[in-house]
Amino acid sequence: MQESAQQKATIPFWRDERILNILGQVAFIIGLLFVGSLIYQNMKAGLARQGITLTYSFLNGISGFDISETLFTYSRTSSYWQAYQVGLLNTLSVSIVGVVASTAFGVILGVARLSTNFLINRLAAFYLELIRNLSLLVFLIFWYLGVFLKLPRVREAVVWPGNIFLTNRGVGIPWGLPTDSYPTFRLILIVGLVLAVVVFFVLRSYSRRTGRAPLTTLWTFLTVLSVALIGWFVLPEKPLAFDAPVIEGLNMTGGKVLSPEFMALTSGLVLYTSAFIGEVVRSGILSVSKGQVEASRALGLNGFQTLRLIVFPQALRVIIPPLTSQYLNLIKNSSLAIAVGYPDLFYVSNTIQNQTGRAVEMISMVMLTYLLFSLITSVFMNWYNQRIKLVER
Amino acid sequence: MRKTLWIVSVFLITGLVLAACGGAAPAPGGGETVTVVETVIVEVPAAAAVAAPAGYGVTLETVKARGNLICGVNSQVPGFGYIDADGNFSGIDVDYCRALAAAIFGDVSKVEFRPVTAAERFTALQSGEIDVLSRNTTWSLVRDTELGGNFVHTTFYDGQGMMVPADSGITSLQDLAGGTVCVQTGTTTELNLADVMASLGVSYTPAVFEDADSTFAAYAEERCDAVTTDKSGLVSRRTVLSDPSAHVILDVTMSKEPLGPMVRHGDDQWFDIAQWTVFAMIAGEEFGITSANVDDVRSGTTSPEVMRLLGLESDMGLKLGLDNDWGYNILKLVGNYEEVYNRSLGPDTPTYIPRGLNSLYTEGGLLYAPPVR
């Protein structure tokens, strides 16, 4: 007690920096809450003046409109909430396809940009500079109006080898229809996955024990693939019957038709984002000091081994954080789907908002959903980053 | 001891702020607390200004104080709301805005046209960004209630139609089975299409676009087998397709589409002004008053109702909160309904649409203005 009394005598609390800091924070939070509640109250008052109350119950109402692309059965009698889910899943599918494809293409671009082959290097540099300086919206509209809508009319469809139909109603590709043996095949696939996990752990412990570096990812992947192939050919009936698209009446039927809207949006997003990812990969690789490569070569590792075992693991530490931002950008940029008529989350929400007039409710839902997408992505990427970062002692 | 002090101060400040929020007595001075309370005091009047209650007559006051009318219009449908290459607006929806400006200011130039898309129009009206929405908007129950708007009066009776390429061989909606239909989002059209196709049992794929330009651009690229919107819109958009004669409008009417201006809920005076502007134009046609002869009529008329409309007798304009020559200004500066119609949709225009339902009730149409008395 005497000690604290002494402290109090030396620093009065209104001059204690630590207390002042905390007080400042508290004041800030209170101010923030206050301004927030003012805005909210103002909005509520404004809506009340027009006889509108905030409620989400309209989501149970019948939507009344059709959506061109749905991943589950949806019709005009479905609810607004189901329409919202249609948009959500469409955004998810574009995002997943986009993230995977732009990562693959971006890594190739990044490595190409550093290639010692003059032509590859210059071409990659030209591509990166061109794309990175474009506006994404313009780019998407170019892909939609300038490329996919300019494909031949349905009646003059161009057929590529493998029954790929190119028309301005979409790109038709053969698609598998499950047959009777499909459930068995699914079991075989699960067995394959289990085996792959076993292979992964065996190879990893082998690598730790002996210090050798087997191609763990490759072998794991090959395990799944070979089990799947064996299952495919051993089963009496093929698990999937290939259904090729045909021109019938006004449209293509059968197979899988990728709409021009989807194609334009994904190609635009992938080609755009991969340019940025290319630069991220390049900077990551360049960040690994030259000494590391020289040391690795001196130890007798060849070029591929050096890249795989020495350069990439170190580059990843630099690559992951900016890569996360690029993924987030891609997911958020997918809302530009509205420009090419692809029914993504934002688009469908816009339609709902128009048909119901529930602007505040819909915008709040869209904002929360994108926030959730972004948080999940960055939590995952941060976890991954944590795992691969340099262990400091 | 120190920790206790912190906690006490935190509670103290929270309490003070809450008290201030509740409009309590001025906070006692001393230390940091004063700063916090000051922030609050600054915020309160700002919020009060924002939350000023709207109601009877506020819109007119706002418009007069601002010195011009802000009118939400279409900019992509020739004959209704269209912005030409020189940046001039034309069309009957646009002329309605001019008539409203004439009624309020006696000056058709005191109107600012703000192009709004189908998707953003209601939010623009609700939020007060525009004073009136005059953009081929269909009168429907939901829009009249939940959207917080009031439909003034129908200025164009329309129905939804379907346009297909002439060489497609499609003559009925059933022929569209398995096909794709281009449609604009946020419209009653989108809902009617789903309704009609469902009741016919015809399966189709919608291709939905954000505005009229992209909808018709996709149709022009044959992204879809047909395009649907109000018949007037089809007629009007056909004129801007590369070969108008290569497209036919099917002989089907899929819905009733009464199109007219819309104002916000809660300002009855503004609603009256908007409504009587339409009636003045219809009455003008009924009485044979045009922008050319309005001065002669004004000096020579003996009809009491015409005198009331033109502000010679009684004080009809004052009852609306306007000048007494509001009706005269509308007819003089913009013209009667027929003039407005013919200017945009008459036989001499590329967007010619026969009057049909949009004739006076005396000629078998639906246009009918209540008595000016």
Side-chain angles (χ1 to χ4, degrees):
Chain A
M1 214 44 210
Q2 200 191 349
E3 198 182 64
S4 64
Q6 207 173 16
Q7 270 177 352
K8 204 176 165 191
T10 48
I11 321 169
F13 78 89
W14 59 86
R15 274 170 50 202
D16 187 328
E17 209 174 293
R18 282 169 297 178
I19 294 184
L20 288 181
N21 277 344
I22 290 193
L23 288 182
Q25 301 274 353
V26 169
F28 180 74
I29 289 175
I30 291 173
L32 202 67
L33 286 177
F34 186 69
V35 171
S37 76
L38 271 184
I39 292 172
Y40 179 74
Q41 294 298 339
N42 180 38
M43 180 195 75
K44 256 182 91 167
L47 289 174
R49 263 206 315 275
Q50 295 163 49
I52 302 174
T53 45
L54 274 186
T55 164
Y56 288 85
S57 57
F58 69 94
L59 285 171
N60 296 319
I62 289 177
S63 65
F65 56 88
D66 288 310
I67 302 179
S68 53
E69 283 170 69
T70 60
L71 289 178
F72 59 89
T73 319
Y74 168 88
S75 74
R76 64 167 289 281
T77 49
S78 306
S79 66
Y80 284 118
W81 174 235
Q82 279 166 311
Y84 190 79
Q85 290 170 321
V86 167
L88 192 81
L89 287 180
N90 281 345
T91 289
L92 269 183
S93 48
V94 166
S95 303
I96 291 169
V97 171
V99 161
V100 172
S102 56
T103 309
F105 192 46
V107 169
I108 295 173
L109 273 175
V111 174
R113 180 73 182 78
L114 291 172
S115 166
T116 46
N117 179 319
F118 179 78
L119 192 61
I120 292 179
N121 184 323
R122 286 296 94 191
L123 274 178
F126 174 74
Y127 177 85
L128 290 177
E129 287 311 316
L130 178 76
I131 301 294
R132 291 202 311 141
N133 288 299
L134 279 179
S135 144
L136 178 55
L137 183 62
V138 173
F139 196 50
L140 286 179
I141 290 175
F142 162 76
W143 277 98
Y144 186 57
L145 288 176
V147 178
F148 285 100
L149 284 191
K150 294 284 184 233
L151 288 176
R153 312 292 188 236
V154 169
R155 268 158 271 188
E156 302 137 22
V158 170
V159 184
W160 273 2
N163 272 326
I164 295 173
F165 280 62
L166 293 180
T167 77
N168 72 343
R169 297 290 169 82
V171 176
I173 53 170
W175 200 249
L177 286 179
T179 60
D180 291 342
S181 62
Y182 182 69
T184 331
F185 183 64
R186 219 164 31 191
L187 285 180
I188 296 176
L189 275 187
I190 293 172
V191 172
L193 281 178
V194 172
L195 265 180
V197 172
V198 172
V199 168
F200 176 78
F201 280 106
V202 166
L203 284 181
R204 206 175 62 167
S205 76
Y206 167 79
S207 146
R208 289 202 175 141
R209 215 172 49 240
T210 61
R212 288 172 190 276
L215 296 164
T216 315
T217 319
L218 183 69
W219 285 115
T220 311
F221 177 70
L222 281 181
T223 314
V224 180
L225 193 71
S226 46
V227 171
L229 281 177
I230 291 168
W232 185 273
F233 287 108
V234 162
L235 284 175
E237 189 188 12
K238 299 267 177 295
L240 291 174
F242 274 106
D243 183 25
V246 282
I247 307 286
E248 199 182 279
L250 295 171
N251 256 332
M252 274 180 287
T253 52
K256 175 110 183 148
V257 178
L258 303 168
S259 72
E261 291 82 21
F262 176 82
M263 293 299 289
L265 182 64
T266 35
S267 7
L269 281 176
V270 164
L271 293 178
Y272 189 78
T273 314
S274 60
F276 290 86
I277 293 181
E279 287 293 83
V280 168
V281 170
R282 181 172 75 108
S283 70
I285 294 175
L286 284 179
S287 76
V288 179
S289 86
K290 210 177 165 198
Q292 294 284 321
V293 179
E294 285 166 354
S296 140
R297 299 311 289 265
L299 286 172
L301 274 68
N302 65 28
F304 175 67
Q305 284 171 327
T306 305
L307 199 63
R308 184 171 76 89
L309 298 171
I310 307 296
V311 177
F312 256 135
Q314 298 189 68
L316 266 187
R317 291 184 289 118
V318 178
I319 290 174
I320 294 300
L323 190 64
T324 310
S325 320
Q326 292 307 326
Y327 287 170
L328 297 183
N329 278 347
L330 187 140
I331 294 171
K332 289 179 289 182
N333 283 343
S334 71
S335 61
L336 286 173
I338 201 156
V340 295
Y342 179 74
D344 78 325
L345 173 69
F346 183 57
Y347 196 134
V348 173
S349 308
N350 240 23
T351 307
I352 298 174
Q353 179 191 325
N354 271 304
Q355 303 296 8
T356 58
R358 301 273 172 195
V360 178
E361 290 90 337
M362 286 322 293
I363 294 289
S364 66
M365 278 173 71
V366 170
M367 280 173 29
L368 271 180
T369 311
Y370 278 112
L371 181 68
L372 207 64
F373 279 173
S374 298
L375 285 181
I376 291 172
T377 313
S378 67
V379 162
F380 173 77
M381 294 299 282
N382 285 341
W383 165 80
Y384 185 63
N385 192 33
Q386 203 70 28
R387 231 180 60 102
I388 59 152
K389 79 173 183 194
L390 195 63
V391 182
E392 288 173 28
R393 292 195 171 87
Chain B
M1 185 60 204
R2 173 151 298 169
K3 210 165 188 174
T4 332
L5 250 179
W6 286 358
I7 293 169
V8 168
S9 351
V10 166
F11 274 109
L12 193 72
I13 289 170
T14 318
L16 277 175
V17 170
L18 288 180
C21 293
E32 317 73 41
T33 48
V34 167
T35 336
V36 177
V37 174
E38 263 173 11
T39 329
V40 173
I41 290 170
V42 171
E43 295 292 340
V44 169
V50 172
Y56 188 84
V58 165
T59 315
L60 181 64
E61 276 169 32
T62 314
V63 169
K64 278 185 168 164
R66 192 196 298 128
N68 70 351
L69 170 77
I70 302 179
C71 198
V73 293
N74 202 330
S75 58
Q76 301 181 341
V77 179
F80 288 84
Y82 191 67
I83 179 166
D84 66 17
D86 301 328
N88 299 318
F89 282 87
S90 64
I92 67 166
D93 290 337
V94 165
D95 276 352
Y96 169 77
C97 300
R98 295 201 171 106
L100 194 54
I104 299 166
F105 297 109
D107 183 351
V108 287
S109 67
K110 289 196 171 172
V111 48
E112 179 189 331
F113 297 108
R114 192 159 296 173
V116 285
T117 65
E120 71 201 14
R121 55 187 159 177
F122 302 117
T123 316
L125 184 67
Q126 284 169 353
S127 61
E129 201 183 309
I130 54 178
D131 302 311
V132 59
L133 175 69
S134 179
R135 186 198 179 284
N136 48 344
T137 301
T138 304
W139 193 340
S140 74
L141 192 146
V142 169
R143 290 174 175 178
D144 223 346
T145 54
E146 280 189 343
L147 279 179
N150 277 329
F151 280 87
V152 164
H153 193 262
T154 302
T155 52
F156 191 89
Y157 292 93
D158 207 348
Q160 187 175 340
M162 184 77 79
M163 183 160 72
V164 296
D167 61 2
S168 64
I170 296 168
T171 54
S172 71
L173 295 180
Q174 280 83 356
D175 291 346
L176 280 169
T180 312
V181 180
C182 280
V183 60
Q184 196 183 334
T185 184
T187 56
T188 48
T189 315
E190 189 183 10
L191 303 178
N192 294 332
L193 175 68
D195 279 4
V196 170
M197 292 307 223
S199 64
L200 290 175
V202 176
S203 73
Y204 73 105
T205 312
V208 187
F209 298 91
E210 172 73 355
D211 58 14
D213 277 349
S214 40
T215 311
F216 282 85
Y219 171 73
E221 294 286 352
E222 294 185 36
R223 166 70 184 93
C224 17
D225 302 292
V227 61
T228 182
T229 185
D230 298 342
K231 282 187 166 175
S232 58
L234 292 178
V235 171
S236 125
R237 291 297 311 205
R238 186 164 61 172
T239 60
V240 286
L241 287 174
S242 62
D243 179 11
S245 61
H247 302 274
V248 290
I249 296 167
L250 296 184
D251 190 20
V252 285
T253 302
M254 297 161 72
S255 66
K256 289 181 287 190
E257 304 287 336
L259 310 178
M262 186 181 182
V263 295
R264 266 185 301 280
H265 269 172
D267 189 342
D268 292 346
Q269 184 202 20
W270 185 245
F271 177 82
D272 289 341
I273 295 170
Q275 190 169 54
W276 279 92
T277 300
V278 179
F279 290 148
M281 290 195 287
I282 296 174
E285 181 179 359
E286 196 179 329
F287 301 141
I289 312 169
T290 66
S291 53
N293 70 13
V294 64
D295 288 315
D296 297 340
V297 172
R298 181 138 99 153
S299 56
T301 187
T302 52
S303 154
E305 190 166 13
V306 171
M307 290 169 79
R308 283 196 294 273
L309 177 64
L310 297 181
L312 297 176
E313 191 184 297
S314 192
D315 54 352
M316 296 301 162
L318 303 183
K319 293 185 200 305
L320 289 170
L322 301 171
D323 294 335
N324 217 16
D325 50 2
W326 65 285
Y328 168 79
N329 283 337
I330 292 173
L331 294 170
K332 172 74 184 170
L333 301 171
V334 182
N336 67 30
Y337 185 87
E338 184 182 30
E339 288 178 276
V340 167
Y341 190 97
N342 284 344
R343 202 180 295 151
S344 299
L345 304 168
D348 302 333
T349 63
T351 45
Y352 172 54
I353 300 173
R355 285 285 291 264
L357 288 177
N358 296 294
S359 311
L360 289 179
Y361 73 105
T362 49
E363 287 156 32
L366 293 172
L367 297 186
Y368 187 100
V372 186
R373 62 159 65 248

